[in-house]
Amino acid sequence: MIELPRIGDPSLGYISLMQDGDPALPFAVKRVYWTYFTPNHVERGNHAHLRLEQIIVAVSGIIDFTLIDRKGKRQEFTLDTPDKGLYIPGGYWREIRFSHNAVLLCLASDIYDEGDYIRDLNLFLKSES
Ligand code: TYD
């Protein structure tokens, strides 16, 4: 989990950011995407990326992540403030749940490539890094 800068005060509001050269941003950003209007009974994700690295921010709402590594070890993370980011290296299965107002912002190390996905958990757990 990454603490992001929080510039401002309650009377003005805040700016948080990541930029090239930040030690907490260990890759060059090649894609930015955001997801929204996800009903809160829906679980998204359910895939792993082989190489893609990501930093995820809940710019609004609350987002719960379960990450599973190739050994099957589970870790839970809650993103509930826009000044926190979750760094996900390659090689993690993810399951994601959203509050109804959640907006997920993703900074990604590469452009979209379906070939980088594993969408079967058993295949992922048997896969080589
Ligand atoms: P996916 O990554 O499976 O989303 P989630 O894990 O949130 O359910 O993507 C959903 C669909 O959107 C899938 O058909 C691929 C498409 N997509 C793109 O075309 N480009 C992108 O950058 C992303 C993230 C998804």
Side-chain angles (χ1 to χ4, degrees), residues 27-32 51-53 108-113:
F27 56 84
V29 176
K30 290 204 183 157
R31 177 169 47 128
V32 177
R51 285 168 299 279
L52 189 73
E53 297 175 77
S109 64
D110 211 345
I111 63 170
Y112 175 73
D113 172 13

Side-chain angles (χ1 to χ4, degrees), residues 55-67:
I55 289 176
I56 309 286
V57 178
V59 292
S60 167
I62 300 173
I63 305 177
D64 289 313
F65 265 79
T66 300
L67 297 182

Side-chain angles (χ1 to χ4, degrees), residues 31 33 35 43-47 49 94 96 98 111-112 114 117 119:
R31 177 169 47 128
Y33 65 84
T35 74
E43 181 174 274
R44 296 194 62 142
N46 288 305
H47 64 255
H49 285 286
R94 78 282 319 273
I96 316 166
F98 299 81
I111 63 170
Y112 175 73
E114 186 60 34
Y117 282 71
R119 294 189 181 273

Side-chain angles (χ1 to χ4, degrees), residues 2 16 21 26 28 32 47-48 51 54 77 83 97 99 112 116 124:
I2 302 166
S16 291
V32 177
H47 64 255
R51 285 168 299 279
Q54 295 168 299
F77 298 93
D83 60 7
R97 290 161 308 282
S99 65
Y112 175 73
D116 188 64
F124 168 66

